[in-house]
Amino acid sequence: MPKTKALAAPASKESPARKRAKPVVRSASAVSRRLRQIEDKRSAILGAALGLFSRFGLHGTSIDQVAARADVSKSNLLYYFANKEELYVNVLRDLLALWLEPLRGFSAEQDPSQAIGDYIRRKLVISRDRPDASRLFCLEMIQGAPLLRDELDRELRTLVERKSEVIAAWVAAGKLAPVDPQHLIYALWAITQHYADFGVQVQALSGHTLDDEAFFERTVENVQRIVLQGITPR
């Protein structure tokens, strides 16, 4: 009898849906690593932008300059921020969050002298460690805050109103001398940020900057004394 040839198995037919690429399933650690990479890149861009915007302003800084300083391509930068104005606003929002964080801790249950003394120290630390941030915020205010007006009308106003109520409660309880809460907040901002916004003048007159540890501690002590002796009950 003639040998019969083995029949070849019919080729399996996949539906078009099965032929489509299967989704890549990433592990939790891979996702976390990717998110960190994204955040690190975004932080690098914001840091580079802050350094340039604080020196040259919005109009004196180009996207190309920021990309070069952040060591990323221009197209990569524009993946994170659509344009220079969006980048600038994000820098300002980060600064506002940093600037306001020490004020958020005020509560009526605290001892006001301790709370305000700690606030002065924390604000001077920001002036020492992030002088470019303070200077950029000051520049934006001088220009009328054209790109930050909405943030000021919402977040800043709400926070100041809440913390003014805390200060008013301290006054009503006899823990502070009669003082207008908002004017006290303005004074605290002015005196602590002076050492960043006018750092060159401070150095020219005193021969020191806040980077000098001994000068920093003397500054904290003197600002605390000036403020607290003026607002504590007698």
Side-chain angles (χ1 to χ4, degrees):
M1 293 180 65
K3 295 181 179 180
T4 58
K5 294 182 179 179
L7 295 176
S12 62
K13 294 183 179 181
E14 288 186 311
S15 66
R18 292 188 63 184
K19 287 183 179 180
R20 287 198 291 267
K22 295 179 180 179
V24 177
V25 179
R26 293 188 175 90
S27 67
S29 61
V31 171
S32 177
R33 185 166 57 252
R34 175 58 179 159
L35 291 174
R36 283 199 306 271
Q37 291 171 344
I38 291 172
E39 185 56 33
D40 289 346
K41 185 66 66 65
R42 186 177 183 277
S43 296
I45 293 169
L46 289 170
L50 170 59
L52 291 166
F53 286 144
S54 66
R55 290 184 61 195
F56 307 113
L58 172 63
H59 301 297
T61 300
S62 70
I63 284 290
D64 292 301
Q65 288 174 313
V66 177
R69 186 159 181 166
D71 195 25
V72 300
S73 67
K74 181 177 179 179
S75 60
N76 194 215
L77 187 154
L78 293 174
Y79 170 80
Y80 290 93
F81 303 98
N83 50 53
K84 185 171 67 170
E85 286 71 21
E86 181 181 312
L87 174 59
Y88 184 76
V89 169
N90 274 271
V91 170
L92 290 173
R93 283 175 178 161
D94 279 4
L95 297 186
L96 188 60
L98 172 74
W99 195 49
L100 295 180
E101 184 57 33
L103 187 60
R104 297 185 192 281
F106 276 24
S107 67
E109 295 74 26
Q110 291 177 300
D111 173 71
S113 294
Q114 183 67 48
I116 293 170
D118 288 346
Y119 177 80
I120 289 169
R121 175 176 288 276
R122 292 181 68 187
K123 285 292 273 90
L124 285 168
V125 166
I126 294 173
S127 289
R128 179 194 65 195
D129 297 346
R130 303 290 302 277
D132 50 354
S134 183
R135 286 193 290 267
L136 179 57
F137 198 88
C138 179
L139 180 63
E140 177 67 11
M141 295 304 102
I142 290 172
Q143 294 174 342
L147 296 179
L148 201 62
R149 174 68 67 178
D150 288 344
E151 305 290 334
L152 299 180
D153 287 343
R154 291 196 305 269
E155 183 177 6
L156 181 60
R157 180 189 294 275
T158 300
L159 180 62
V160 169
E161 287 175 348
R162 287 206 315 267
K163 300 311 173 180
S164 292
E165 291 173 0
V166 171
I167 295 170
W170 287 335
V171 172
K175 297 178 180 179
L176 287 182
V179 61
D180 182 283
Q182 287 198 6
H183 286 293
L184 174 57
I185 292 172
Y186 300 155
L188 292 171
W189 288 345
I191 195 170
T192 54
Q193 288 167 229
H194 175 88
Y195 292 89
D197 301 340
F198 291 87
V200 173
Q201 176 177 273
V202 171
Q203 184 176 16
L205 296 176
S206 68
H208 300 283
T209 70
L210 293 183
D211 289 326
D212 179 328
E213 185 176 352
F215 181 73
F216 175 80
E217 291 299 332
R218 288 201 305 273
T219 301
V220 171
E221 180 184 344
N222 278 279
V223 173
Q224 288 174 336
R225 183 183 301 116
I226 291 167
V227 172
L228 293 176
Q229 287 186 356
I231 61 175
T232 50
R234 289 182 172 80

